Amino acid sequence: MAVSKPRPAHLHVSPLGTPSRDCSPDYLTMTRDRPATPDRASRSSFSSIRENESTLPQCFSKTKISSYLDPEAIDDLLSPPSPTGSTSSTDSQELKMIQTQTHTHTHTQPHTQPPTKFLPPVTNPNSRLLGYWTPADSFRGWKEIQVKGKLASKSFGDLQILHQVFKDTPKPTKRGGANRPGDAPLERLPTEILTSIINLLALDVPPNGVSRRNVDLMSLLLTSRTLHIATLTTLYSKITIPHSRIFQKFLAHISEHSTLGTIVRRLDFCHFNPAQLFSTAAERSQARNLTSETLLRCLDLTPNLQEFLAQEYLDDDLNADVLRKLFLGLSRLQAVDFCGCTSTKFKEAFTSIVSPNWPPVLSIRRLSLHKCLTLPSVVLETILPRLNHLTHLDVAGTRITDAALAAIPVTARITHLNLAKCTLLSARGVIDFLTNHPAAKELEFLSLATDARSHQLFDAESLNELLPVLPRTLKSLSLKGSKMEPSHVELLRPLTKHLEELAIGRSLTLADVNRLFVPDENTDDDVQMQLDWVPHTLKYLDLSDFWGQELDLVYLFSSGCAILKNFSEPLEVIEVAEDVFKRVKKSAAAVERAGWKMSECGSRGWLVRQPLKDATTGKPIVRDDGRRSWKMGADSWGMRKIPVARSEVGGMYGSFMFGRKL
């Protein structure tokens, strides 16, 4: 049985999720109904890919609609709550609870902004960013939230008994071991410790796609004043917006309660899919729920925002004012993701705001322009020199130049760098950067992948220069699309002693790759090699540049090849080309006899090692769950997009990371 793991904390002011569907190419090739326009020709249909908990790696589920959206609940969600607190929708109840968190609910008096107090953290008493906001002493909202009907759950019992108001009565004296209100041992913990504990209760996505989310958090809001304050930080620090109506509700709430806006640290639109509510762009525009104006207003109300995660379905709303606010108006912003944004409006807006008069230093530390194909080089040449504290840079598929890459400040410390399919870069420019630039000395993730059918960045001679200068801190390296020779195996071997992911280029044979896992045996010099042999650390091997008959299946399954044998452990995932995967599928029985299984998602396919069984109990041995700090929340291997925020894989980001070709 798979063990449930803690999920990162997120606020979900949204309806219930929907059941996931198995991943298949059919889902990834579906297109939207509206006709394509020149700036939309490359836009893909919405696809949400999330990782499944399993005893095997590379297990995904795929759906064409957001995991946060239950269309049947929308009308109930948007309808006014009943005066008695009883509605037909559980999400309506959840939203009502959130909307009453910060004020005393009355039916006879108009709502007014309640007074609040700021509590600095114990660990940093002078901080105004890391503290906690608490309602004034007169606040009794957690006891005035009315709870009935379907909200009752086995996870926290029937909360109807809590439909009452704390009375202003003297605190009882401690008797018989009972604690006075607010004086329980748990409540005496510092708020930052309480918040860390409560974060473990928050779910990113419902475990089965349809269960209620955050029922335990809703229960904590009703428990006591102390827990209410700590839970607010968990609920409001990370906001996920699956569609525009939820954004409108959220914006209205922080407009009414401005203090809550100061808690927000992340705005996440990776699940955003306007097609779920509106069949055409005109309908969405008429609704006016999420526009450039409302998005800018939201940014104004979240002054402490640190992470802004967008994607291609939001690019038309990222106008010049919004982009200017993100880069120049939010002093604490550290991470920005514009994955897949390619519209003409987005390009023109970005081009219009970049200027040599920008401040010399920007606060951004993690920047993703993944597949922003249309941005001109001047945008990158303006922004990159100002990122003094850069750690994550994903410019895959962009028009970055050698000059822009070299202009990254020497004070940057890049750990994640994605230069895949950057056709304006030269091999010399990249090698010089990796060899001489101080920012490239602590790399953990490096993708230099290209599509060999259309472009080649590194030839054999360039690789001879590149491989020896790569830092020992690397955990993931992609050389996909480069031209390799058998002599490069000797240069790759030292890298396999610290790499966990390796993507091999073209022109090698499977016998050459096999030499990465076993010492040579044919010469006298190889005896010493066998004595000094250090096992590899690879968990993932990408052989997707072996097309057609280039991947010799007869050799792969033969006794002379170590790749599928137990000797190749800890290797547990091998990616193969799409046409090769179809061939291997026909020999599924042979794959299972070798101790492997097949997994696929969209256009990508993997061979996955089955866990060994305990000789005594016969049960599968617990495998490495794949969690690594450098993966930023992902468990699976072979991601092709760099996350700029630590979170669970899902939404369009999951599709870009694991469901698409390079």
Side-chain angles (χ1 to χ4, degrees):
M1 179 181 297
V3 179
S4 178
K5 61 184 180 182
R7 300 293 189 185
H10 289 265
L11 168 66
H12 306 294
V13 193
S14 61
L16 292 174
T18 53
S20 302
R21 301 179 185 175
D22 291 335
C23 231
S24 72
D26 292 336
Y27 285 117
L28 290 178
T29 57
M30 292 176 64
T31 57
R32 299 177 65 185
D33 293 334
R34 72 178 184 181
T37 58
D39 60 311
R40 283 284 181 252
S42 61
R43 169 174 282 183
S44 56
S45 61
F46 181 89
S47 56
S48 176
I49 290 178
R50 57 175 292 198
E51 294 176 306
N52 288 339
E53 295 180 359
S54 172
T55 57
L56 295 176
Q58 310 303 112
C59 289
F60 302 95
S61 60
K62 167 74 174 59
T63 178
K64 297 303 297 181
I65 59 178
S66 171
S67 299
Y68 296 92
L69 185 60
D70 179 5
E72 296 179 356
I74 292 175
D75 292 337
D76 288 331
L77 176 67
L78 300 177
S79 61
S82 166
T84 62
S86 177
T87 70
S88 59
S89 167
T90 56
D91 269 335
S92 180
Q93 293 279 6
E94 177 177 330
L95 184 61
K96 182 179 178 181
M97 294 176 70
I98 295 173
Q99 290 176 330
T100 56
Q101 288 165 10
T102 58
H103 67 282
T104 301
H105 179 74
T106 64
H107 300 295
T108 59
Q109 299 179 358
H111 173 79
T112 58
Q113 175 80 19
T116 56
K117 294 190 300 184
F118 180 81
L119 301 179
V122 174
T123 53
N124 190 357
N126 296 321
S127 173
R128 293 292 295 177
L129 177 65
L130 303 177
Y132 308 89
W133 286 98
T134 171
D137 293 337
S138 60
F139 173 68
R140 295 183 297 230
W142 62 85
K143 285 298 180 181
E144 297 197 359
I145 299 173
Q146 301 183 5
V147 180
K148 290 186 179 181
K150 295 182 180 179
L151 190 60
S153 164
K154 291 181 180 179
S155 67
F156 59 90
D158 188 353
L159 300 182
Q160 294 186 38
I161 59 175
L162 295 180
H163 176 41
Q164 57 180 319
V165 179
F166 283 155
K167 299 188 180 299
D168 295 326
T169 56
K171 293 183 179 181
T173 57
K174 186 174 181 179
R175 294 184 303 173
N179 296 293
R180 293 179 296 178
D183 198 38
L186 180 65
E187 295 176 292
R188 293 198 298 268
L189 291 175
T191 307
E192 47 264 52
I193 295 179
L194 272 179
T195 300
S196 297
I197 296 172
I198 293 170
N199 284 346
L200 300 178
L201 301 177
L203 296 180
D204 193 9
V205 178
N208 59 9
V210 296
S211 299
R212 286 182 50 77
R213 292 178 306 281
N214 294 336
V215 289
D216 295 315
L217 295 183
M218 296 300 106
S219 179
L220 284 175
L221 288 173
L222 307 176
T223 303
S224 75
R225 179 188 182 83
T226 303
L227 293 181
H228 183 99
I229 295 168
T231 305
L232 278 181
T233 300
T234 295
L235 281 171
Y236 280 91
S237 62
K238 299 173 183 178
I239 308 295
T240 297
I241 305 293
H243 58 78
S244 61
R245 290 184 183 174
I246 293 302
F247 176 79
Q248 188 273 333
K249 286 285 186 180
F250 167 70
L251 178 58
H253 198 46
I254 62 173
S255 297
E256 191 174 9
H257 308 284
S258 58
T259 300
L260 292 179
T262 66
I263 301 176
V264 178
R265 300 295 184 265
R266 176 187 298 170
L267 283 177
D268 185 354
F269 292 89
C270 79
H271 292 267
F272 184 77
N273 181 13
Q276 285 301 311
L277 299 182
F278 308 105
S279 59
T280 66
E283 291 180 4
R284 177 187 169 197
S285 178
Q286 291 172 2
R288 307 295 295 174
N289 290 334
L290 200 164
T291 65
S292 300
E293 293 75 19
T294 57
L295 185 56
L296 180 61
R297 184 183 174 196
C298 179
L299 295 177
D300 287 334
L301 292 169
T302 53
N304 295 325
L305 190 68
Q306 295 179 335
E307 298 169 339
F308 182 83
L309 311 180
Q311 42 99 347
E312 57 188 305
Y313 279 87
L314 201 68
D315 55 4
D316 280 345
D317 298 308
L318 301 173
N319 68 1
D321 291 334
V322 171
L323 293 174
R324 189 178 294 107
K325 179 69 176 180
L326 287 170
F327 284 96
L328 305 177
L330 294 172
S331 61
R332 295 186 174 97
L333 191 66
Q334 297 184 4
V336 180
D337 198 326
F338 297 117
C339 177
C341 294
T342 58
S343 73
T344 300
K345 290 183 179 180
F346 176 74
K347 178 188 70 173
E348 293 175 347
F350 228 135
T351 305
S352 69
I353 68 166
V354 293
S355 166
N357 298 324
W358 272 22
V361 178
L362 299 178
S363 63
I364 306 298
R365 295 173 179 264
R366 303 182 296 277
L367 174 65
S368 173
L369 298 172
H370 187 88
K371 296 297 181 69
C372 293
L373 309 176
T374 59
L375 285 183
S377 300
V378 66
V379 171
L380 290 158
E381 291 169 356
T382 301
I383 294 176
L384 293 185
R386 292 168 166 79
L387 304 182
N388 285 23
H389 306 290
L390 186 66
T391 61
H392 294 60
L393 179 63
D394 189 336
V395 287
T398 67
R399 299 178 183 179
I400 187 174
T401 61
D402 291 342
L405 185 64
I408 293 175
V410 296
T411 55
R413 291 295 179 265
I414 302 177
T415 59
H416 294 65
L417 180 61
N418 189 354
L419 301 176
K421 299 186 73 173
C422 294
T423 57
L424 297 186
L425 289 175
S426 68
R428 171 51 51 200
V430 174
I431 292 173
D432 286 347
F433 176 79
L434 295 174
T435 303
N436 303 314
H437 203 294
K441 302 305 180 183
E442 301 174 9
L443 285 171
E444 298 180 13
F445 178 100
L446 176 62
S447 177
L448 303 172
T450 60
D451 185 347
R453 296 177 176 88
S454 59
H455 177 67
Q456 176 180 288
L457 180 60
F458 293 102
D459 57 19
E461 185 176 345
S462 299
L463 284 178
N464 288 333
E465 290 187 69
L466 172 71
L467 293 175
V469 303
L470 295 176
R472 291 184 57 83
T473 54
L474 267 182
K475 299 298 181 182
S476 177
L477 173 65
S478 177
L479 299 172
K480 181 177 169 62
S482 58
K483 186 177 181 180
M484 290 187 162
E485 295 179 347
S487 60
H488 291 137
V489 173
E490 293 297 331
L491 298 176
L492 288 172
R493 273 174 166 167
L495 297 176
T496 63
K497 312 309 178 184
H498 57 83
L499 284 174
E500 293 189 283
E501 295 183 341
L502 176 62
I504 301 291
R506 300 165 42 240
S507 304
L508 294 182
T509 66
L510 208 54
D512 295 327
V513 177
N514 189 61
R515 294 175 56 208
L516 296 174
F517 300 95
V518 293
D520 299 331
E521 300 178 351
N522 299 327
T523 66
D524 293 339
D525 293 339
D526 295 334
V527 174
Q528 188 62 40
M529 178 188 294
Q530 295 180 42
L531 294 175
D532 298 337
W533 184 256
V534 177
H536 71 91
T537 57
L538 292 177
K539 305 284 289 185
Y540 164 87
L541 182 67
D542 186 348
L543 301 179
S544 58
D545 263 1
F546 287 65
W547 306 329
Q549 300 301 320
E550 293 176 357
L551 197 147
D552 188 347
L553 293 181
V554 174
Y555 176 75
L556 181 64
F557 289 98
S558 68
S559 58
C561 180
I563 295 177
L564 298 183
K565 305 297 187 296
N566 291 340
F567 185 80
S568 68
E569 291 190 87
L571 181 68
E572 61 178 25
V573 177
I574 301 173
E575 181 162 355
V576 296
E578 192 172 5
D579 60 333
V580 173
F581 189 83
K582 293 177 181 178
R583 289 170 50 209
V584 176
K585 248 185 173 180
K586 300 176 182 178
S587 306
V591 174
E592 293 196 12
R593 285 196 299 271
W596 296 69
K597 284 190 175 182
M598 303 174 68
S599 177
E600 62 181 320
C601 189
S603 58
R604 299 181 68 180
W606 304 274
L607 301 181
V608 181
R609 190 189 298 271
Q610 298 186 62
L612 298 176
K613 295 184 178 180
D614 187 277
T616 304
T617 64
K619 297 181 179 179
I621 298 176
V622 178
R623 69 169 186 88
D624 180 355
D625 60 14
R627 301 176 194 173
R628 300 290 189 276
S629 61
W630 59 266
K631 290 186 182 182
M632 301 289 286
D635 292 346
S636 300
W637 301 97
M639 63 184 182
R640 288 181 173 165
K641 176 194 175 300
I642 294 177
V644 297
R646 192 172 301 278
S647 63
E648 182 184 355
V649 174
M652 288 291 283
Y653 290 176
S655 176
F656 277 96
M657 291 170 69
F658 296 109
R660 305 188 183 202
K661 294 181 180 179
L662 187 66

